[in-house]
Amino acid sequence: MILNAHEKMIAKRYLVPVKGERFIFVVAGFSIGAVALGVAALIIVMSVMNGFRAELFDKIVGLNGHAIIQGYEGRLPNWEEIVDAARKTPGVTSATPLIEQPLMASANGRVEGVLVRGNTVEDIRTNPILNDKVISGDLKSITPGSGRVAIGARLAEALGAYPGAEISLISPEGRSTPVGTVPRIVTYTVGAIFEVGIYEYDQAFVIMPMQDAQTLLLLGDQVGMVEVQVDNPDKVGQVLAPLQPLIQGRGVIVDWKKMNSALFEALEVERIAMFVVLCIIILVAAFNIASSLIMLVRAKTRDIAILRTMGASRGSMLKIFMTVGLSIGMIGIVIGAILGAVFLFFRQGVVNFIQLVTGQNIWDPSVRFLTELPSRTDPFEVAAIVAVTLVLTYFATLFPARGAANTDPVQVLRYE
């Protein structure tokens, strides 16, 4: 919208309050605040939702891979052939054998359900999700035959375990006796404690070398599954399709979408719903802008009539009041973006402060999966939020601006 010098001067004059117009300026200030709060709320909520999804995806995939080739009955025969074929498949970046079995663990008179994972030593030492999250002990001490395992931080708290402490793993696959099967109990030493940040994993995982897991579970040389990583997670089904004939009758391929479909679909639905609901805040702010402009037009009716008699066109009046309304909207957008950025930067401190003041754990990791409030801002979403706000502001200013442009100077000046 291009304004000449006189139009810019008048628009600037109407944006700055003078004596007797403080109330109109206060209403405009509330409109700016409403726009700022709406934009800030949208940026914060969408960034947190994106961060929540991204953190979950990175940590879940970091430990479970983009897909697993699961053997029937927990055993995958001829797994070496499958691993070799998977590594040669275009689009596959890695394929490693894996054993995973739910068992019981006991220590210090306490018993907890755990999920034993047998990984290759290379995978244990190079997995960034584990290596970057070790809070005590050393993953390098976990070697085949060492009798050492790594456990999650929440599990360590539940069992009262620490590096160097002993825990016993109880497997129902034991030796047969005349009175039935006797559970197999093997004692291990805690070599490292990690905190991935996903409560479910930190509460249950016991990680050990694959050879030790095979011994514990009496698997011989077999494994339970093969973990696969691909270069494009969104096309994991297409990438692994060539492996279907090879594993036919031996197992199934389950990708990350199937393993966590309910969770990620729920997050996507909630994300869209929150965007729509929070847009209502901006819609309310747009109505505030419209009301403040209507009051301004009513207060400036005599000025508009005089300007029209001096030669100002309807288009000039339209542009002046559209500029005033859009300026209010853009000021609100800038303030909202700054508020959103500040909140996201100090988000965890804000959560901790609210918890301290209220005495309530508003971010319980056992409910929300992650131990900290995540955030990941998408520039395209921020641009969409700005665009939606500008569009709503435009339509909110259109009616009062057209009212000002349609003012009849003859009728106004006749009664002034």
Side-chain angles (χ1 to χ4, degrees):
M1 189 179 297
I2 301 176
L3 282 72
N4 58 38
H6 295 87
E7 292 168 346
K8 289 180 181 178
M9 179 188 69
I10 297 170
K12 183 178 179 181
R13 171 71 177 72
Y14 287 169
L15 279 170
V16 179
V18 296
K19 187 177 181 180
E21 298 175 353
R22 300 289 182 182
F23 181 73
I24 298 175
F25 180 73
V26 170
V27 174
F30 279 119
S31 300
I32 292 174
V35 172
L37 288 176
V39 170
L42 267 173
I43 291 176
I44 292 168
V45 170
M46 299 307 292
S47 297
V48 169
M49 294 298 294
N50 289 338
F52 196 83
R53 184 184 186 280
E55 285 289 313
L56 279 177
F57 178 81
D58 291 344
K59 291 179 179 180
I60 289 174
V61 168
L63 288 175
N64 294 325
H66 295 126
I68 58 172
I69 302 174
Q70 175 74 54
Y72 293 135
E73 298 181 355
R75 295 173 183 263
L76 189 63
N78 299 323
W79 59 269
E80 297 92 343
E81 178 187 3
I82 295 175
V83 169
D84 185 59
R87 289 173 177 171
K88 294 178 181 178
T89 302
V92 174
T93 57
S94 70
T96 57
L98 176 67
I99 297 171
E100 191 171 278
Q101 182 70 36
L103 299 178
M104 298 294 292
S106 67
N108 301 313
R110 308 172 189 176
V111 179
E112 294 288 336
V114 298
L115 190 64
V116 173
R117 287 173 61 96
N119 295 89
T120 63
V121 174
E122 180 183 2
D123 191 29
I124 294 174
R125 294 182 178 178
T126 60
N127 191 317
I129 301 298
L130 290 177
N131 279 271
D132 297 341
K133 302 297 182 179
V134 175
I135 59 177
S136 60
D138 188 359
L139 286 177
K140 294 180 180 179
S141 65
I142 302 172
T143 57
S146 65
R148 292 181 176 270
V149 296
I151 64 175
R154 304 285 82 78
L155 178 60
E157 292 176 2
L159 294 176
Y162 52 88
E166 292 185 343
I167 64 171
S168 297
L169 297 180
I170 306 169
S171 172
E173 297 291 335
R175 67 180 186 275
S176 298
T177 67
V179 295
T181 302
V182 177
R184 181 178 173 81
I185 303 176
V186 181
T187 300
Y188 294 91
T189 302
V190 177
I193 297 176
F194 58 85
E195 186 173 16
V196 173
I198 297 180
Y199 185 86
E200 182 180 351
Y201 294 169
D202 294 334
Q203 176 69 20
F205 272 15
V206 175
I207 296 176
M208 63 175 60
M210 188 176 68
Q211 295 88 334
D212 291 355
Q214 289 173 332
T215 302
L216 171 65
L217 300 173
L218 305 177
L219 293 176
D221 193 37
Q222 293 183 331
V223 300
M225 62 191 74
V226 172
E227 179 186 278
V228 181
Q229 299 273 4
V230 299
D231 55 6
N232 189 344
D234 292 326
K235 296 182 178 180
V236 61
Q238 301 175 24
V239 172
L240 299 182
L243 294 176
Q244 287 286 359
L246 178 63
I247 66 169
Q248 191 70 32
R250 289 191 279 180
V252 294
I253 298 177
V254 183
D255 60 37
W256 66 270
K257 297 178 182 178
K258 295 178 183 177
M259 286 187 285
N260 308 280
S261 59
L263 175 61
F264 286 106
E265 286 176 8
L267 287 175
E268 190 63 24
V269 171
E270 185 177 0
R271 180 170 164 271
I272 295 172
M274 292 300 295
F275 182 86
V276 174
V277 170
L278 291 174
C279 278
I280 297 176
I281 299 177
I282 298 178
L283 183 61
V284 173
F287 282 123
N288 286 338
I289 293 174
S291 63
S292 65
L293 279 182
I294 291 172
M295 295 175 63
L296 181 62
V297 170
R298 295 286 293 178
K300 298 296 183 181
T301 300
R302 186 169 179 271
D303 294 359
I304 294 170
I306 293 173
L307 288 171
R308 290 295 310 281
T309 59
M310 294 175 63
S313 64
R314 292 176 183 270
S316 293
M317 293 294 99
L318 183 68
K319 288 192 290 183
I320 288 170
F321 284 94
M322 288 290 291
T323 299
V324 173
L326 290 174
S327 297
I328 292 173
M330 286 188 286
I331 292 172
I333 289 172
V334 172
I335 295 175
I338 294 173
L339 286 175
V342 171
F343 182 92
L344 291 173
F345 185 79
F346 296 103
R347 62 188 183 279
Q348 193 58 43
V350 172
V351 172
N352 294 337
F353 175 76
I354 295 174
Q355 292 182 154
L356 179 65
V357 172
T358 62
Q360 299 294 322
N361 185 6
I362 63 175
W363 191 261
D364 186 356
S366 64
V367 176
R368 308 184 189 278
F369 293 98
L370 302 180
T371 55
E372 292 186 353
L373 181 66
S375 171
R376 183 169 296 187
T377 304
D378 185 348
F380 294 103
E381 284 188 349
V382 174
I385 292 169
V386 172
V388 168
T389 306
L390 285 177
V391 168
L392 292 176
T393 303
Y394 172 81
F395 284 109
T397 59
L398 192 59
F399 174 74
R402 290 186 65 181
N406 292 330
T407 300
D408 187 353
V410 176
Q411 294 294 328
V412 174
L413 294 178
R414 177 181 295 176
Y415 298 103
E416 287 290 340

